[in-house]
């Protein structure tokens, strides 16, 4: 086995690392200050425009998008390295386009949708969102009740969606709805492309989340969608949705590794300098054990994530591995960041260090795209289901 990245993918990871170091981390002070003032976690328009310009010029757009729409067609293994580096900073910037919705579109678009939605998305001209969760059906997409009913060549969608990131800003939302109640998740769920401003697509409220983040609740009330905006085949939306969810979970695992590594690096720099009762923290066994445990668990999570990505690139079934890395990496990073905050003492409790934003993001990630407990259940179910 070769546990090293291919040279091309290592060079890409190094390039992203420099972008994070030179462009994103210098913005952290301003990001943290605005969040501390209650202004949310975000960038100014000028900051975002500059990052777009720099990252585009570096060739960092459309990394895993198809070449025929301007992408670089990078495999998931390469993207793990990219996302780990992005995870090291609390500056909220995503290299366009965001991979989860991209990969769902890649799997489902027809030629018309490819030109109207996928190509502009890869080019960074549009922003997307996805509506899956519903009040009362958060962790179980198969329990969704939002309905889409044919009306001539169009579809009429009615229902409620919640926890949608960017719902108010997105140019289009990939919306999941039931088209055959009897079949449910086995052939009865479809995906639709709903444009911003479509009548009946009503953003009800912006929901403040931990760490200055926001999500939205949306009501679909007689929302008419043209027939050609059915994404993929009728009733075949569940599998592409799982592709999207799986991509986000791998991305989250990589982010978690990046955050944990950043926190550990901060501790390694701080512990030899900070003295308590006449000795550096680095000489305290508790700190030494935290360092050893964090380094070991980061190493394990990193290898697990690359293993999962490699298997996915090979076309193998990675449902268990995706659940494993999602829960293990987020829990590992949350523990690591919490211990580093503890080691920093009162300073670790302030909003002057990035640790508190990392902790808040990880706390939400332990819920988003499937809570830890659900993923443990999935792994156990998959293992126990093979035994007679």
């Amino acid at each position: 086995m070769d546990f090293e990245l291919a040279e091309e993918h290592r060079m890409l990871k190094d390039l992203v690392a420099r972008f994070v170091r030179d462009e994103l981390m210098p913005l952290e002070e301003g990001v943290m200050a605005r969040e501390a003032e209650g202004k949310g976690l975000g960038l100014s328009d000028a900051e975002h425009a500059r990052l777009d310009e720099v990252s585009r010029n570096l060739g960092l757009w459309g990394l895993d998008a198809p070449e025929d729409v301007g992408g670089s067609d990078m495999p998931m293994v390469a993207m793990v390295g990219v996302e780990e580096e992005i995870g090291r900073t609390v500056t909220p910037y995503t290299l366009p386009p965001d991979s989860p919705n991209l990969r769902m579109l890649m799997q489902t678009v027809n030629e018309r949708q490819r030109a109207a939605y996928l190509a502009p998305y890869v080019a960074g001209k549009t922003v997307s969102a996805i509506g899956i969760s519903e009040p009362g059906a958060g962790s179980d997409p198969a329990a969704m009740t939002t309905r889409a009913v044919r009306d001539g060549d169009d579809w009429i969608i009615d229902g409620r969606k919640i926890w949608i990131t960017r719902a108010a800003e997105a140019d289009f939302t990939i919306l999941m709805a039931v088209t055959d109640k009897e079949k449910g998740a086995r052939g009865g769920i479809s995906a639709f492309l709903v444009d911003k401003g479509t009548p009946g697509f009503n953003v009800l409220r912006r929901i403040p989340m931990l760490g200055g983040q926001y999500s939205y609740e949306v009501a679909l009330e007689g929302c008419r969608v043209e027939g050609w905006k059915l994404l993929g085949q009728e009733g075949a939306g569940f599998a592409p949705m799982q592709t999207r969810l799986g991509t986000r979970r791998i991305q989250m695992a990589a982010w978690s590794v990046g955050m944990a590594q950043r926190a550990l690096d901060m501790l390694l720099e701080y512990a030899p300098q900070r003295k308590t009762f006449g000795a550096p923290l680095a000489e305290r066994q508790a700190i030494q054990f935290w360092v050893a445990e964090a380094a070991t668990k980061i190493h394990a999570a990193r290898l697990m994530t690359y293993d999962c990505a490699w298997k996915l690139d090979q076309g193998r079934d990675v449902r268990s591995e995706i659940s494993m890395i999602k829960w293990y990496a987020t829990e590992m990073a949350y523990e690591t960041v919490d211990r580093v905050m503890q080691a920093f003492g009162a300073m670790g409790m302030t909003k002057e260090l990035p640790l508190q934003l990392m902790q808040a993001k990880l706390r939400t990630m332990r819920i988003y795209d499937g809570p830890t407990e659900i993923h443990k259940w999935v792994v156990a179910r998959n293992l126990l289901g093979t035994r007679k």
Side-chain angles (χ1 to χ4, degrees):
M1 292 184 184
D2 186 355
F3 290 98
E4 296 295 329
L5 282 173
E7 182 178 4
E8 176 188 9
H9 303 156
R10 180 183 54 77
M11 292 174 63
L12 173 62
K13 185 176 185 294
D14 291 343
L15 177 61
V16 175
R18 291 197 297 274
F19 173 71
V20 169
R21 181 195 65 209
D22 297 342
E23 304 295 338
L24 299 187
M25 286 188 176
L27 297 177
E28 287 188 339
E29 184 176 351
V31 167
M32 291 188 292
R34 288 191 291 270
E35 190 277 330
E37 294 170 359
K39 297 178 181 178
L41 187 69
L43 297 166
S44 69
D45 291 342
E47 289 171 337
H48 206 288
R50 170 170 168 72
L51 292 176
D52 279 350
E53 179 182 8
V54 173
S55 58
R56 185 193 297 112
N57 290 339
L58 289 173
L60 296 178
W61 282 29
L63 291 175
D64 53 342
E67 292 182 355
D68 61 1
V69 288
S72 299
D73 202 22
M74 287 289 173
M76 188 64 77
V77 163
M79 296 307 297
V80 167
V82 168
E83 300 296 356
E84 179 183 337
E85 297 301 333
I86 293 292
R88 290 176 62 89
T89 180
V90 296
T91 298
Y93 182 75
T94 300
L95 294 169
D98 197 21
S99 291
N101 288 356
L102 167 69
R103 290 191 175 239
M104 184 173 180
L105 290 170
M106 287 165 54
Q107 187 174 329
T108 52
V109 292
N110 56 34
E111 287 306 310
R112 184 176 180 182
Q113 295 164 347
R114 191 179 191 85
Y117 289 94
L118 180 60
Y121 189 49
V122 172
K125 297 178 180 178
T126 58
V127 174
S128 72
I130 189 163
I132 301 174
S133 296
E134 298 180 3
S139 296
D140 183 8
M144 70 176 63
T145 58
T146 296
R147 295 294 306 276
V149 179
R150 282 188 179 276
D151 183 36
D153 293 333
D154 298 341
W155 292 88
I156 306 296
I157 306 177
D158 289 280
R160 189 69 61 93
K161 295 291 180 181
I162 199 168
W163 316 127
I164 305 178
T165 306
R166 299 185 300 272
E169 299 84 22
D171 297 288
F172 66 94
T173 297
I174 302 171
L175 193 77
M176 309 305 301
V178 177
T179 48
D180 189 327
K181 188 175 181 180
E182 297 301 319
K183 293 181 180 178
R186 298 183 180 276
I189 293 179
S190 303
F192 298 88
L193 295 161
V194 183
D195 297 326
K196 184 178 183 179
T198 299
F201 182 86
N202 302 314
V203 178
L204 298 183
R205 61 183 176 128
R206 185 172 77 161
I207 307 169
M209 310 295 288
L210 292 177
Q213 303 174 80
Y214 297 94
S215 65
Y216 295 87
E217 183 176 4
V218 171
L220 291 306
E221 299 171 334
C223 182
R224 181 177 292 273
V225 177
E226 296 173 86
W228 72 272
K229 294 179 182 179
L230 171 70
L231 185 59
Q233 299 299 313
E234 179 182 346
F238 195 81
M241 180 185 71
Q242 291 300 323
T243 295
R244 187 264 173 203
L245 291 171
T247 303
R248 177 67 83 199
R249 289 159 183 164
I250 294 175
Q251 190 179 52
M252 283 184 169
W255 289 343
S256 296
V257 170
M259 280 186 272
Q261 187 65 62
R262 170 84 181 277
L264 176 59
D265 290 345
M266 291 175 66
L267 180 57
L268 293 175
E269 181 179 357
Y270 179 73
Q273 301 175 19
R274 172 65 169 145
K275 288 187 177 181
T276 59
F277 302 99
L281 284 181
E283 294 181 10
R284 304 296 184 188
Q285 188 180 65
I287 300 300
Q288 293 171 349
F289 279 12
W290 286 355
V291 166
E293 290 168 10
T296 302
K297 292 178 181 180
I298 291 169
H299 183 55
R302 181 181 286 120
L303 291 178
M304 287 171 64
T305 305
Y306 274 118
D307 172 74
C308 179
W310 180 82
K311 288 177 179 175
L312 185 66
D313 288 335
Q314 301 301 310
R316 294 167 61 175
D317 184 349
V318 292
R319 284 173 291 185
S320 289
E321 286 89 340
I322 282 177
S323 283
M324 288 176 183
I325 64 171
K326 199 280 179 179
W327 83 256
Y328 180 79
T330 54
E331 295 289 344
M332 174 278 297
Y334 188 78
E335 175 188 71
T336 299
V337 171
D338 185 70
R339 285 179 169 180
V340 175
M341 293 176 76
Q342 188 78 1
F344 270 79
M347 193 63 192
M349 302 300 103
T350 70
K351 291 197 170 188
E352 296 181 0
L353 294 180
L355 292 168
Q356 52 89 21
L357 285 179
M358 293 161 62
Q359 185 192 53
K361 183 174 183 178
L362 286 162
R363 188 63 190 86
T364 61
M365 284 166 52
R366 291 168 63 202
I367 294 290
Y368 288 171
D369 291 85
T372 291
E373 294 74 19
I374 296 292
H375 286 290
K376 288 182 177 180
W377 170 67
V378 168
V379 173
R381 181 194 61 187
N382 291 345
L383 291 171
L384 293 169
T386 63
R387 300 187 185 278
K388 304 299 182 182

